[in-house]
């Protein structure tokens, strides 16, 4: 596998409940290393193999604990452990983070699913997706097929795409406004400029093109969630609430 092809799709599955568990540990004040040690030694996920527990812990801690700044981690943890925020919103935010942290998830979504979806295609041929992975990422055909299977295990729960024999069916998909709002505020917190946020690939992970995104931003502006205006190439895009209270806003 090429050194620049980072992916966890060889062990991916619907891991929302695992992330929720880990975020509860974050809220208790445990460090990344303490949580990792707990996952390996105490085996709360009931994983029989010690080696697999270590790999699983490294993946989940690396992506969802170390993958955030300390400030953003607190907000993410509160979102994931909230009993009020919808599960679908959590899944969409989690998938956005998958795309950010996993190069193969990002490549399949942005280079395969996104363009096909916006061309109005009803499906993709599974073998075509696998062929692209083999040629562009250097994986074997067998491992690529396995990783596509694991990718679809996630997207089928999300409602975006699912396996159908030799096809990958593309479903009509519109992310929740609260998911888009959350991603937007994480980008605000990262310090990106208004223009870079508007043109960011992050929203393509939820199949939003720029026109789609603008419609969400207009709605959020009308709701007082953000301040948004465009005039030609000039973009004004600013938060209207503090980042720390984002979880509260998502619960309303």
């Amino acid at each position: 596998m090429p050194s620049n092809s980072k992916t966890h799709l060889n062990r991916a599955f619907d891991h929302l409940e695992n992330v929720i568990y880990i975020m509860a540990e974050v809220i208790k004040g445990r460090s990344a290393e303490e949580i990792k040690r707990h996952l390996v030694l105490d085996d709360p996920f009931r994983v029989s193999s010690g080696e697999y527990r270590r790999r699983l812990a490294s993946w989940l801690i690396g992506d969802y604990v170390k993958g955030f700044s300390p400030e953003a981690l607190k907000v993410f943890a509160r979102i994931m452990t909230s009993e009020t925020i919808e599960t679908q919103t959590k899944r969409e935010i989690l998938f956005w983070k998958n795309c950010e942290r996993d190069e193969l998830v990002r490549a399949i979504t942005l280079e395969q699913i996104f363009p096909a979806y916006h061309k109005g295609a009803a499906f993709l041929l599974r073998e075509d997706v696998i062929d692209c992975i083999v040629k562009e990422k250097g994986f074997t055909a067998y491992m690529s097929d396995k990783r596509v299977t694991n990718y679809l295990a996630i997207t089928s729960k999300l409602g975006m795409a699912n396996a159908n024999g030799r096809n990958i069916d593309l479903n009509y998909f519109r992310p929740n406004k609260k998911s888009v709002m959350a991603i937007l505020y994480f980008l605000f917190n990262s310090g990106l400029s208004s223009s870079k946020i508007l043109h960011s690939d992050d929203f393509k992970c939820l199949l939003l093109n720029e026109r789609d995104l603008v419609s969400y931003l207009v709605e959020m502006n009308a709701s007082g969630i953000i301040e948004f205006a465009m005039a030609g190439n000039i973009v004004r895009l600013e938060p209207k609430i503090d980042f720390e209270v984002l979880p509260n806003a998502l619960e309303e």
Side-chain angles (χ1 to χ4, degrees):
M1 183 174 67
S3 60
N4 64 347
S5 295
K6 176 184 178 293
T7 185
H8 297 302
L9 281 183
N10 54 320
R11 63 182 68 90
F13 52 89
D14 176 33
H15 54 282
L16 174 61
E17 293 304 318
N18 305 77
V19 173
I20 290 173
Y21 182 94
I22 289 169
M23 290 305 116
E25 296 296 297
V26 169
I27 288 176
K28 292 176 185 176
R30 293 187 175 182
S31 70
E33 292 308 314
E34 287 173 332
I35 299 171
K36 184 175 180 179
R37 192 179 310 115
H38 167 57
L39 297 183
V40 173
L41 297 180
D42 300 331
D43 191 22
F45 299 153
R46 301 294 185 267
V47 178
S48 58
S49 165
E51 177 61 25
Y52 188 75
R53 285 202 299 273
R54 284 188 287 274
R55 291 183 180 181
L56 183 63
S58 294
W59 161 36
L60 295 173
I61 298 301
D63 282 6
Y64 305 111
V65 179
K66 296 179 180 179
F68 286 99
S69 68
E71 181 184 26
L73 177 60
K74 292 178 182 178
V75 172
F76 180 72
R78 287 180 56 206
I79 291 171
M80 288 293 135
T81 57
S82 170
E83 295 182 357
T84 306
I85 296 173
E86 293 181 359
T87 296
Q88 180 66 16
T89 297
K90 294 179 182 181
R91 287 192 188 282
E92 291 173 1
I93 296 170
L94 197 58
F95 189 72
W96 158 71
K97 195 64 178 176
N98 290 166
C99 287
E100 180 187 271
R101 297 289 295 180
D102 192 298
E103 292 181 14
L104 191 53
V105 173
R106 187 177 185 88
I108 295 173
T109 306
L110 269 59
E111 298 172 20
Q112 302 288 322
I113 304 294
F114 178 86
Y117 181 84
H118 284 281
K119 288 177 183 176
F123 63 89
L124 287 166
L125 289 176
R126 184 187 182 103
E127 62 190 51
D128 288 345
V129 175
I130 292 171
D131 189 53
C132 285
I133 295 172
V134 171
K135 290 179 178 177
E136 296 180 14
K137 300 300 179 181
F139 299 122
T140 66
Y142 170 77
M143 288 306 298
S144 297
D145 184 67
K146 180 180 178 182
R147 283 160 178 155
V148 168
T149 296
N150 292 348
Y151 175 87
L152 294 173
I154 298 171
T155 58
S156 62
K157 284 283 188 178
L158 195 65
M160 181 185 292
N162 56 275
N164 181 14
R166 297 177 62 187
N167 295 343
I168 296 173
D169 286 347
L170 304 180
N171 304 321
Y172 176 76
F173 182 79
R174 291 286 289 179
N176 290 342
K177 182 179 78 173
K178 290 183 177 180
S179 309
V180 179
M181 174 184 168
I183 294 169
L184 180 62
Y185 267 80
F186 278 108
L187 294 180
F188 282 145
N189 182 253
S190 73
L192 283 182
S193 68
S194 297
S195 179
K196 287 185 177 179
I197 290 176
L198 182 64
H199 301 298
S200 171
D201 281 345
D202 290 70
F203 299 101
K204 291 182 180 179
C205 297
L206 297 183
L207 304 190
L208 296 180
N209 60 21
E210 191 172 316
R211 183 181 63 183
D212 296 330
L213 176 60
V214 166
S215 70
Y216 278 83
L217 297 178
V218 167
E219 185 178 348
M220 283 188 270
N221 180 74
S223 301
I225 296 170
I226 61 170
E227 186 168 335
F228 172 64
M230 285 183 66
N233 293 326
I234 300 174
V235 180
R236 183 172 185 179
L237 181 58
E238 299 176 358
K240 294 288 284 184
I241 63 172
D242 292 334
F243 182 56
E244 293 77 10
V245 301
L246 174 63
N248 304 73
L250 297 178
E251 290 177 336
E252 294 178 356

